[in-house]
Amino acid sequence: MYNRQLILTAVLLSMGSTAFAQIHRMERSDSVAHSYDLNPVVVTGSGHHQRLKSTATPVHVLSSREIREQGIATFEDAMVRMLPQVSMAPSSMGTFLRLNGLGNKYILILINGQKLSGDISNNVDLSRINMARVKRIEVLDGAASSLYGSDAIGGVINIITDQPTSQVCSVTNTTTVSGEGKLTESVNLDIYKKGFGSYTTYTHDRADSYQTFTEEYDKGSATETHPTIAPLFTGYRSHLLSQKFTFTPSSHLAFNAGIDYNHKTTDRPNTHPDIVGGTDYEMRYKTLRWNAGGIYKFNARNSLQADVTVDRFRYGKEYDVATKTYQVGDYVQSKKQRNIEQQLKGIFQLLPGGTTIVGTDWRLDKLVATSGNINREAYNLAYYAQHEQLFAIGRGTVKATLGTRYDYHQNFTNHFSPKASLMYSQGAINLRATYSGGFRAPGLDELFYHYFSVNRGKAQIIFGNHDLAPETSQYVALNAEYRSKILAVSLTAYLNSINDMVVRRDISVDADALAMLQKEFPEMTPDQAAKLERYSLYQNSDRGDVKGLQLNVSANIFEGFNLSANYAYTYARTKNGGEWTTMERSIRNTATIAANYHRTWGRYSLNVNLNGRLQSKTYYTNYEDAPGFGIWNLHTTHSFNCTRWAYVEPSLGVDNIFDRVDRRTDSAKRKYALYTPGRMLVVGLKLRFKK
């Protein structure tokens, strides 16, 4: 199957290249085209702005233009369609994100350098990310705790937003519609005049629940099934409102302040008396995030900036079916989180050819969980320093970076996270070597959970562990790169070794354990106690080990035609009790491919994009491995610069051209990696009016 797909893909790309080349030769001389910028500005790898070619730590960059041209409306689609080392597993509890084999809690997500907080059972609520404002997404692989602190063991994803700074008043409306009730609509109002900027966004995002199976196996049976209405993908309704103000009184001084409010509710099938899989309630999430900051630039190479961010996240159950205890419309809060972060950072040129970064970071985390019986908080105070120095050696240059971070955590006292990197550059060639340390303090839930709930008549019990040790990692990477205006090729090999991984272990219930559990949870009924087979306890596993190889190629084949291909090999394992096992949800081989053609005739521009993702099977520990797949999407945009003040861009595309769907019904232990409902038509419209 996959051989036929690859052959067909090669034929399509070959035919497309030939056709586009013929068009290129026949077009009038006054037509205009564009090419991709293969050397954009980035900030995440080194902590200060520089060209991608000049950063000593490799960074993957997804520009807003690339995202738009692939017909992508959500953060999840942007990541999985463009980065092979990323995978997603959606559920009603958020989205389970993996980067290079490691899950959510090892990945630090930032918005303009400030952490995005809030999770549900280690699943991130990615609907909080405002794609209407994305300028670019920067992805840093591997440990990066020397600059970014706790959680940056597997990597850092930094979403950089866009605020126009030209004298403008503009309104932009973007709408995307596809199958299964998917709709994303965003409205931006931008005003900038005489140093003052106001940027307002409202986004509505929705999708319906859907199934690719209608039968599930009876518990304890490998042959008997019964009908179910349980969805593979859980629908939702989301509203995001954001406001940001900027003020630049002079070329040396700038201020900013912003607030974001998000409300999201799942849309699952209701409980049905004759068929399983429905629920009595929906999950409801509310978030409020505000930040303020400023930067003073002494000159082009020296600056001092300060930021404060307050992030509030809460979720619970909103009943839409009457039960013995609750009425329709009742809301029961499950978890409330509050995170406060204050940052002070200085960037200085103390030596010719050098950049020094020093900073301090104070963070307070608070968790209130009703079912987990938690009302706790913990603070972390950190200081960090990094120096980057450029030396001329013969016909090339060497850039050396040394950095360290000191963290004092309320529950774990002291920790140092080092970093050292070396880059040799000559012409278009870069050779890099990186070593960095990672650090993650266990979450308040992992430390203090005292969780009891009942699901379908069965008790679920989870204990935190006060004796948990912090997780640490050692990351080593080698990179070779060729980068010019026409061609960029990068090859990276890495090893990420994690110690004291925090995992949730199931423990069998014997007579002594049952007596202990009944004492801890007197609300447990005798019937629930009789059915209880196991409970869970957070523990430090022995270690984790991720080895990988990444190949990235992007080329401006000719004016207006770009071809990119990315491949990731990931070998992720965990070791507990002396035995190595494949890491849950890891994928060994993944590739993404995109071919893009753009041409402009007068006021009309055409963009055609073909992109695909190919991946091998997904590994599961106690379930059947999910099979590999290949997904291809075709998207076209048609841009009309009607006047100097009006811009119209309709779009039309097809997602999942070959209608790949996982419809397995022959296993009682099936898990999924492919969540698409099948082939879908995608229609979009972007309108922009400016004065």
Side-chain angles (χ1 to χ4, degrees):
M1 178 189 299
Y2 297 112
N3 287 338
R4 292 200 302 270
Q5 262 195 14
L6 290 172
I7 292 171
L8 179 58
T9 301
V11 170
L12 286 171
L13 292 178
S14 176
M15 293 173 60
S17 299
T18 303
F20 289 150
Q22 293 296 326
I23 293 172
H24 178 63
R25 285 193 288 269
M26 292 187 296
E27 282 169 342
R28 304 193 313 266
S29 59
D30 62 348
S31 62
V32 180
H34 71 180
S35 297
Y36 281 110
D37 182 4
L38 301 183
N39 190 29
V41 173
V42 296
V43 67
T44 307
S46 60
H48 65 97
H49 291 85
Q50 57 181 316
R51 289 289 178 182
L52 183 60
K53 180 180 176 180
S54 302
T55 181
T57 306
V59 179
H60 307 278
V61 181
L62 313 180
S63 69
S64 60
R65 177 173 143 191
E66 293 173 283
I67 294 171
R68 185 179 71 253
E69 289 175 346
Q70 290 201 22
I72 294 170
T74 66
F75 177 79
E76 292 94 322
D77 284 345
M79 300 302 290
V80 298
R81 290 191 187 184
M82 304 175 75
L83 293 175
Q85 66 268 41
V86 176
S87 64
M88 300 278 189
S91 75
S92 60
M93 301 298 287
T95 302
F96 195 88
L97 167 67
R98 295 195 81 86
L99 174 62
N100 293 318
L102 295 173
N104 283 334
K105 65 181 182 179
Y106 300 108
I107 305 164
L108 182 62
I109 299 180
L110 308 173
I111 297 180
N112 296 320
Q114 278 82 50
K115 181 177 179 178
L116 181 68
S117 302
D119 67 83
I120 317 101
S121 301
N122 285 323
N123 292 276
V124 181
D125 183 11
L126 298 176
S127 65
R128 303 184 64 193
I129 297 174
N130 186 1
M131 291 298 291
R133 283 290 177 198
V134 169
K135 182 177 183 179
R136 64 182 184 274
I137 301 173
E138 300 179 3
V139 180
L140 175 64
D141 292 313
S145 291
S146 63
L147 275 179
Y148 298 105
S150 181
D151 301 344
I153 282 183
V156 178
I157 300 174
N158 194 6
I159 297 102
I160 310 297
T161 61
D162 185 30
Q163 287 83 38
T165 56
S166 57
Q167 302 289 344
V168 66
C169 176
S170 68
V171 178
T172 305
N173 179 274
T174 305
T175 305
T176 304
V177 181
S178 61
E180 303 298 340
K182 290 188 177 181
L183 166 68
T184 301
E185 184 163 16
S186 299
V187 180
N188 292 353
L189 171 61
D190 300 333
I191 301 172
Y192 187 87
K193 187 174 183 180
K194 295 181 179 180
F196 174 80
S198 172
Y199 310 97
T200 308
T201 300
Y202 169 73
T203 299
H204 173 57
D205 191 17
R206 61 173 291 171
D208 293 339
S209 295
Y210 57 77
Q211 295 178 287
T212 59
F213 56 87
T214 58
E215 297 280 331
E216 71 176 21
Y217 279 81
D218 295 329
K219 183 173 177 58
S221 172
T223 57
E224 300 296 326
T225 64
H226 56 253
T228 179
I229 56 175
L232 173 66
F233 176 87
T234 301
Y236 61 89
R237 305 289 183 268
S238 176
H239 302 269
L240 176 64
L241 179 63
S242 65
Q243 173 66 56
K244 184 169 185 177
F245 297 104
T246 62
F247 180 54
T248 310
S250 71
S251 59
H252 294 283
L253 187 60
F255 300 99
N256 68 84
I259 187 168
D260 299 276
Y261 172 77
N262 177 238
H263 180 283
K264 178 183 175 182
T265 307
T266 59
D267 187 19
R268 301 184 290 187
N270 293 341
T271 302
H272 194 280
D274 301 321
I275 188 170
V276 301
T279 56
D280 296 335
Y281 56 85
E282 304 296 345
M283 303 303 299
R284 191 182 81 184
Y285 318 102
K286 284 187 176 182
T287 65
L288 183 65
R289 172 187 174 95
W290 65 267
N291 65 280
I295 181 170
Y296 181 79
K297 296 183 178 180
F298 302 94
N299 51 47
R301 297 298 304 275
N302 296 274
S303 63
L304 187 66
Q305 63 185 70
D307 295 280
V308 58
T309 303
V310 178
D311 201 344
R312 295 175 178 269
F313 176 88
R314 63 182 62 190
Y315 84 94
K317 303 172 183 178
E318 187 175 89
Y319 282 80
D320 47 16
V321 174
T323 69
K324 294 180 180 179
T325 308
Y326 301 105
Q327 299 300 316
V328 174
D330 286 351
Y331 173 74
V332 180
Q333 183 172 285
S334 299
K335 181 185 286 188
K336 180 170 66 175
Q337 294 172 275
R338 184 182 66 187
N339 309 99
I340 304 173
E341 187 168 14
Q342 299 175 5
Q343 298 176 322
L344 181 64
K345 177 180 176 181
I347 303 175
F348 306 103
Q349 185 181 25
L350 303 179
L351 297 173
T355 301
T356 302
I357 299 176
V358 294
T360 181
D361 186 343
W362 178 82
R363 179 179 174 84
L364 176 70
D365 295 319
K366 182 171 183 178
L367 172 63
V368 178
T370 305
S371 55
N373 194 25
I374 291 180
N375 188 348
R376 295 273 188 161
E377 64 180 39
Y379 70 86
N380 187 89
L381 177 64
Y383 303 94
Y384 59 91
Q386 176 181 287
H387 182 72
E388 188 176 84
Q389 188 65 47
L390 186 66
F391 304 93
I393 298 181
R395 300 175 63 182
T397 61
V398 171
K399 180 177 287 187
T401 306
L402 289 174
T404 188
R405 181 187 183 98
Y406 165 76
D407 281 276
Y408 178 84
H409 191 279
Q410 181 176 340
N411 297 313
F412 304 104
T413 63
N414 308 315
H415 184 80
F416 285 92
S417 301
K419 175 185 177 180
S421 64
L422 199 65
M423 180 177 74
Y424 174 76
S425 302
Q426 183 174 334
I429 297 175
N430 295 313
L431 301 175
R432 300 180 175 96
T434 300
Y435 164 77
S436 56
F439 162 71
R440 178 183 174 272
L444 294 172
D445 54 346
E446 295 168 329
L447 290 169
F448 304 114
Y449 242 22
H450 194 261
Y451 179 89
F452 177 85
S453 69
V454 179
N455 184 19
R456 298 183 181 180
K458 295 192 67 174
Q460 294 178 319
I461 295 174
I462 305 172
F463 285 105
N465 187 345
H466 300 183
D467 298 324
L468 289 176
E471 298 172 271
T472 60
S473 72
Q474 311 293 321
Y475 177 80
V476 180
L478 299 174
N479 170 264
E481 177 187 72
Y482 175 87
R483 189 174 295 274
S484 68
K485 292 182 179 180
I486 298 175
L487 176 66
V489 181
S490 176
L491 179 64
T492 304
Y494 67 88
L495 169 64
N496 200 358
S497 181
I498 306 104
N499 295 313
D500 295 319
M501 295 183 74
V502 176
V503 297
R504 200 172 77 188
R505 297 293 183 197
D506 287 337
I507 300 174
S508 298
V509 175
D510 56 20
D512 292 338
L514 183 59
M516 179 272 294
L517 295 173
Q518 288 177 314
K519 182 179 179 181
E520 291 287 332
F521 303 102
E523 64 269 33
M524 182 165 53
T525 66
D527 182 60
Q528 293 165 356
K531 295 178 181 179
L532 189 63
E533 298 175 354
R534 62 183 61 88
Y535 67 96
S536 298
L537 173 68
Y538 284 104
Q539 297 178 347
N540 286 110
S541 177
D542 289 349
R543 59 176 297 187
D545 188 84
V546 184
K547 303 180 181 72
L549 187 71
Q550 294 180 8
L551 175 63
N552 308 97
V553 181
S554 185
N556 291 316
I557 305 299
F558 54 78
E559 189 177 30
F561 181 58
N562 174 267
L563 184 64
S564 64
N566 307 286
Y567 167 75
Y569 170 79
T570 308
Y571 185 43
R573 305 181 301 166
T574 57
K575 183 180 181 182
N576 184 60
E579 181 180 354
W580 285 100
T581 58
T582 302
M583 199 170 289
E584 180 86 357
R585 296 181 185 267
S586 64
I587 306 165
R588 198 67 55 87
N589 299 281
T590 313
T592 59
I593 302 170
N596 191 85
Y597 177 73
H598 184 98
R599 202 70 187 174
T600 299
W601 297 269
R603 294 184 179 273
Y604 168 72
S605 296
L606 168 68
N607 189 88
V608 182
N609 187 282
L610 175 68
N611 65 81
R613 179 182 175 94
L614 308 173
Q615 71 176 52
S616 59
K617 67 181 180 181
T618 302
Y619 292 91
Y620 288 94
T621 303
N622 298 315
Y623 294 87
E624 178 185 273
D625 296 334
F629 60 84
I631 294 290
W632 292 93
N633 312 289
L634 180 66
H635 188 76
T636 66
T637 56
H638 309 266
S639 306
F640 300 88
N641 277 304
C642 303
T643 66
R644 288 184 298 177
W645 53 269
Y647 174 88
V648 179
E649 184 182 271
S651 61
L652 182 66
V654 179
D655 281 353
N656 194 358
I657 298 172
F658 301 107
D659 197 26
R660 301 301 184 202
V661 181
D662 188 349
R663 290 194 170 93
R664 288 175 295 150
T665 58
D666 57 351
S667 173
K669 289 191 172 184
R670 63 181 183 268
K671 286 283 187 177
Y672 295 85
L674 179 60
Y675 293 89
T676 173
R679 184 187 298 116
M680 292 191 298
L681 183 68
V682 182
V683 179
L685 179 63
K686 181 177 181 179
L687 303 172
R688 186 168 186 261
F689 305 96
K690 65 178 182 179
K691 181 179 179 181

